[in-house]
Amino acid sequence: MSTLEIKDLHVDVATGDDGAKEILRGVDLTVRSGETHAIMGPNGSGKSTLAYAIAGHPKYEVTSGQVLLDGEDVLAMSVDERARAGLFLAMQYPVEVPGVSMSNFLRSAATAIRGESPKLRTWVKEVKQAYADLEIDPAFAERSVNEGFSGGEKKRHEVLQLSLLQPKIAVLDETDSGLDVDALRVVSEGVNRYRESGEVGVLLITHYSRILRHIHPDVVHVFAGGRIAASGGAELADELEADGYVRYTGTPSAAR
Ligand SMILES: Nc1ncnc2c1ncn2[C@@H]1O[C@H](COP(=O)(O)OP(=O)(O)OP(=O)(O)O)[C@@H](O)[C@H]1O
Ligand SMILES: [Mg+2]
């Protein structure tokens, strides 16, 4: 059993020239293993900021509040320690790492997270299976991480990492964005396999209720103005799709 607790989290983003702007304004959220939470909200409301703050991106400064994983202070951990503790972030815009092959990257990541390098023979099998499950051509393994990958190829590779690293809590930031129908199915199946693989929790940030037909959420949260404005069941996603965020933001386009 694992629990990620976010308590009254306030986060500033560094705006350059030593400036800072408050983006998160008191986020309260608890994700337990076995649960899938969906977060939906207008552009610019702070969803990715929340994901980055959990992962420890240096551009985001936590000014108050807490993030706890099984009672441990996540905010006191380095980015590496957070990953080793069992947190995983699939980024909205996965970064390209020229010069590092995907296969080396995956093995290094697995070694760091498991605490020992995986035995070569079982590792090769594992990786092969993961590529097959996500319907990715194994030739990608020899390419540099994400370099020149299409949007959808990057998203598949985020889920490939998820399946190999088996974190306790996964934050998936718009992993469904820009996917064709087949990719959406493959990626959703990948996430569902991960969910069924053990006692894990998922925080799924999305703009589209269509992914929630594949990955059923236990709770849907509306994110607006840097905090959770409302929470409900799966039906809330349909309501948002039909009515937009006006109820939560005051104006149709105002996100903040
Ligand atoms: N360097 C910066 N200077 C000023 N504002 C910034 C800076 N970096 C981020 N922001 C602002 O922080 C806000 C929150 O951004 P964030 O990426 O968290 O939104 P989001 O909810 O993920 O949006 P989307 O749905 O479009 O992905 C945005 O208004 C963004 O412009
Ligand atoms: Mg975002």
Side-chain angles (χ1 to χ4, degrees):
M1 275 296 287
S2 301
T3 307
L4 177 71
E5 282 175 283
I6 300 166
K7 296 182 182 173
D8 195 25
L9 191 69
H10 289 250
V11 170
D12 283 359
V13 64
T15 55
D17 299 333
D18 293 335
K21 178 178 162 193
E22 187 175 48
I23 306 292
L24 299 189
R25 302 186 174 106
V27 178
D28 285 295
L29 177 65
T30 300
V31 180
R32 295 183 183 82
S33 48
E35 295 176 351
T36 296
H37 292 242
I39 291 189
M40 306 183 84
N43 295 133
S45 56
K47 304 178 301 297
S48 293
T49 302
L50 174 64
Y52 279 130
I54 295 169
H57 192 296
K59 224 178 84 180
Y60 300 90
E61 192 201 344
V62 175
T63 53
S64 65
Q66 283 185 300
V67 179
L68 305 171
L69 180 62
D70 299 330
E72 298 282 324
D73 182 4
V74 169
L75 300 178
M77 298 178 196
S78 66
V79 174
D80 283 23
E81 287 167 342
R82 293 178 199 209
R84 279 198 295 274
L87 290 173
F88 175 89
L89 168 62
M91 285 187 279
Q92 183 173 359
Y93 303 108
V95 289
E96 302 192 355
V97 191
V100 178
S101 73
M102 198 43 122
S103 70
N104 276 341
F105 168 74
L106 291 171
R107 193 163 159 82
S108 305
T111 301
I113 280 167
R114 296 177 192 183
E116 57 179 7
S117 60
K119 296 233 169 9
L120 201 56
R121 197 185 302 160
T122 50
W123 175 246
V124 168
K125 251 194 190 158
E126 245 182 279
V127 171
K128 217 173 142 188
Q129 184 65 49
Y131 272 88
D133 286 344
L134 286 152
E135 299 179 18
I136 300 172
D137 181 342
F140 273 91
E142 297 320 313
R143 288 177 60 178
S144 291
V145 174
N146 288 325
E147 194 180 27
F149 290 16
S150 76
E153 288 165 354
K154 286 180 184 169
K155 300 289 164 135
R156 282 189 200 223
H157 280 86
E158 294 290 288
V159 179
L160 177 83
Q161 287 175 49
L162 174 71
S163 66
L164 288 170
L165 300 179
Q166 293 289 316
K168 290 178 181 165
I169 303 279
V171 181
L172 308 178
D173 191 359
E174 297 202 23
T175 304
D176 57 331
S177 286
L179 296 182
D180 67 46
V181 280
D182 295 325
L184 184 69
R185 173 186 51 78
V186 166
V187 159
S188 304
E189 285 171 1
V191 174
N192 284 332
R193 258 191 313 276
Y194 160 69
R195 291 204 299 171
E196 286 154 17
S197 66
E199 291 276 299
V200 299
V202 175
L203 186 57
L204 185 78
I205 298 168
T206 183
H207 283 295
Y208 306 105
S209 57
R210 60 176 192 164
I211 195 173
L212 305 179
R213 308 205 190 294
H214 297 277
I215 303 170
H216 302 293
D218 299 290
V219 191
V220 173
H221 304 281
V222 183
F223 207 85
R227 62 165 74 91
I228 289 173
S231 302
E235 71 290 344
L236 184 53
D238 297 322
E239 205 181 296
L240 293 169
E241 187 108 325
D243 303 338
Y245 296 109
V246 192
R247 264 182 63 193
Y248 306 97
T249 60
T251 51
S253 56
R256 298 152 280 263

